[in-house]
Amino acid sequence: MHLKNFYFKLSKNMISQHPIINKNKKKLMILDSIKKKVYHGKFNNIINILNKGDLLILNNTRVIPARIFAKKISGGKIEILIEKILNNNMVLGKIKSNKKIKINTFLIINYENNIYATIKSKYNIFYKIKFISSITVWNIIKIYGKIPLPPYIKKKIDKKNKNEYQTIYSSKYGSIASPTAGLHFDKILFKNLIKKGIKIIFITLHIGSGTFQSIKSLNIKNHKIHKEQCIVTKNVIKKIIKCKLKGNRIVAVGTSTLRALESTVFKSKYIISLKKETNIFIYPGYKYKIVDALITNFHLPCSTLIILVSSFAGYYNIMSSYRIAIKNKYKFFSYGDSMFIIHNPKAFLDKIN
């Protein structure tokens, strides 16, 4: 399966740089991938698309201010993107620098307050970094860290807009990227969904830098996703089983939620609770076992996410619907418009030339 199959041309003006504040301007494309039909609406009408008894599952992860700026003793600028906090003074992260970084390089984060770090070792594309300070790593992140917006968003996060990249229900710190399909929801919508009889529950998947990582291999099956911490509780599993037995739908909000849910049966015959890392990479040919419908944004060409939605709806359904989205000027990526996709159980049979 060749990476070029998932390429499409997208102009820069279709990439939304700001959240869509006006609810009436938030577009929603509905893709019935079984009937191969596309419908157009507004996101606040999602309540009319969801059915009483549907189980809506969201990812409650919260973005940490994982980008930290530092300097070498020579004055050279360094940017650290924290992937994972290992303990009170150690992290795993990526480093951006104009020159090659050497092990044992000493970094200055804040000279006045004695906040320093040293690079201890390297694991693949990640560095193990030890912070030297009287305060913990988490406090250093809170004081000196910046929210790491995706590279295609050019605006900067400040005190006024620091929460616009967080979902309103986020509660578990650990991600370096927001589960952006959830940005469309607000408290009023949640209240109305519950009133209609739609169940709402949460899982946790802490999104890592793999969400930004481009696929290097032309054969997508050779691509590896970095491990991400995933928590799906026994209570969530019970509610999924109960929903399925009643013939109702499991609706995942965002690709991270879908990946977490499918991880519960990825290497098992039975659905199990999870509290461990997952690196599940879903591509066409995969047979879905949990999720019946997906709420998601429009994704990058040649990304793991457009590959995932192609496996869910069918490759030809997705590429056709994206051409329609471009023609109808839908906004793409994190701050853009959204899709409601009904799973096509025969999508795994698609033959991609």
Side-chain angles (χ1 to χ4, degrees):
M1 207 173 300
H2 203 285
L3 185 61
K4 69 180 180 182
N5 293 121
F6 300 92
Y7 175 78
F8 57 91
K9 191 174 181 180
L10 188 71
S11 61
K12 290 183 179 179
N13 64 3
M14 299 197 73
I15 302 172
S16 187
Q17 294 292 319
H18 305 275
I20 302 167
I21 304 299
N22 188 335
K23 293 179 186 179
N24 295 322
K25 290 186 178 181
K26 287 185 178 182
K27 292 182 182 179
L28 174 69
M29 176 185 282
I30 302 100
L31 171 58
D32 186 333
S33 57
I34 299 172
K35 295 179 180 178
K36 299 184 179 181
K37 296 283 187 180
V38 168
Y39 308 94
H40 305 281
K42 302 295 182 182
F43 190 81
N44 57 0
N45 289 328
I46 193 77
I47 192 167
N48 299 318
I49 298 166
L50 296 172
N51 301 324
K52 182 179 179 179
D54 281 348
L55 184 60
L56 191 70
I57 308 181
L58 306 98
N59 183 4
N60 63 7
T61 189
R62 190 167 177 82
V63 184
I64 62 173
R67 181 168 279 132
I68 292 180
F69 298 95
K71 289 183 179 180
K72 295 188 285 188
I73 293 175
S74 64
K77 293 181 179 180
I78 298 288
E79 183 181 318
I80 301 169
L81 181 62
I82 295 171
E83 177 79 8
K84 186 178 181 182
I85 298 172
L86 301 176
N87 57 40
N88 281 338
N89 66 357
M90 197 83 72
V91 302
L92 205 62
K94 286 184 174 180
I95 291 181
K96 187 177 179 181
S97 173
N98 290 331
K99 294 182 179 179
K100 186 177 180 180
I101 293 294
K102 296 178 181 179
I103 304 303
N104 295 322
T105 297
F106 187 80
L107 304 176
I108 303 166
I109 297 168
N110 187 281
Y111 179 78
E112 289 78 11
N113 293 317
N114 298 314
I115 311 292
Y116 309 106
T118 56
I119 298 169
K120 305 300 291 183
S121 56
K122 188 178 181 182
Y123 299 91
N124 297 319
I125 62 171
F126 298 110
Y127 290 88
K128 197 172 184 180
I129 304 162
K130 182 179 181 180
F131 285 86
I132 304 166
S133 171
S134 60
I135 61 176
T136 65
V137 164
W138 181 238
N139 283 323
I140 292 171
I141 291 171
K142 286 197 289 186
I143 297 168
Y144 301 102
K146 306 291 183 185
I147 294 290
L149 287 176
Y152 47 78
I153 294 177
K154 304 306 178 186
K155 66 179 290 185
K156 293 182 178 181
I157 290 284
D158 55 31
K159 289 182 179 180
K160 291 182 181 179
N161 61 20
K162 67 177 182 178
N163 287 322
E164 69 182 24
Y165 191 57
Q166 306 276 18
T167 62
I168 62 163
Y169 52 83
S170 61
S171 59
K172 309 289 184 182
Y173 277 103
S175 279
I176 67 164
S178 178
T180 52
L183 295 177
H184 301 286
F185 289 84
D186 59 28
K187 290 179 180 178
I188 295 172
L189 180 55
F190 274 135
K191 185 178 179 180
N192 290 334
L193 289 170
I194 293 167
K195 190 183 292 185
K196 184 175 177 177
I198 294 156
K199 310 294 183 184
I200 299 172
I201 58 172
F202 301 93
I203 56 86
T204 305
L205 187 139
H206 293 313
I207 302 167
S209 60
T211 195
F212 304 131
Q213 187 184 6
S214 58
I215 299 175
K216 305 294 184 183
S217 174
L218 294 179
N219 183 347
I220 65 167
K221 293 181 181 180
N222 295 329
H223 181 68
K224 303 293 182 186
I225 288 183
H226 301 306
K227 292 180 179 179
E228 297 165 315
Q229 186 65 32
C230 176
I231 302 171
V232 183
T233 65
K234 289 181 180 179
N235 184 50
V236 168
I237 298 299
K238 287 178 182 178
K239 290 184 178 181
I240 289 172
I241 294 170
K242 187 177 180 180
C243 176
K244 289 281 191 182
L245 290 174
K246 288 184 176 181
N248 296 321
R249 297 182 300 183
I250 305 297
V251 182
V253 177
T255 54
S256 63
T257 301
L258 181 148
R259 290 179 59 241
L261 295 174
E262 292 297 322
S263 292
T264 63
V265 288
F266 184 49
K267 293 182 179 179
S268 172
K269 292 181 180 179
Y270 308 100
I271 184 170
I272 57 171
S273 60
L274 285 181
K275 191 177 182 181
K276 62 178 183 179
E277 292 180 326
T278 181
N279 64 344
I280 186 172
F281 174 37
I282 301 176
Y283 51 82
Y286 178 81
K287 295 181 182 180
Y288 284 83
K289 303 170 185 69
I290 303 295
V291 181
D292 301 301
L294 172 68
I295 297 171
T296 187
N297 288 4
F298 291 90
H299 304 295
L300 279 163
C302 299
S303 64
T304 59
L305 302 183
I306 191 167
I307 291 169
L308 183 150
V309 294
S310 295
S311 74
F312 190 74
Y315 170 77
Y316 297 101
N317 280 333
I318 285 296
M319 300 312 288
S320 173
S321 64
Y322 268 54
R323 286 192 292 271
I324 293 169
I326 292 168
K327 184 179 179 180
N328 286 272
K329 297 183 179 179
Y330 278 75
K331 291 293 186 180
F332 276 62
F333 310 157
S334 296
Y335 288 149
D337 296 307
S338 59
M339 294 183 80
F340 180 86
I341 306 174
I342 297 170
H343 174 232
N344 179 2
K346 294 183 178 179
F348 73 95
L349 296 173
D350 275 3
K351 303 296 181 184
I352 303 173
N353 299 324

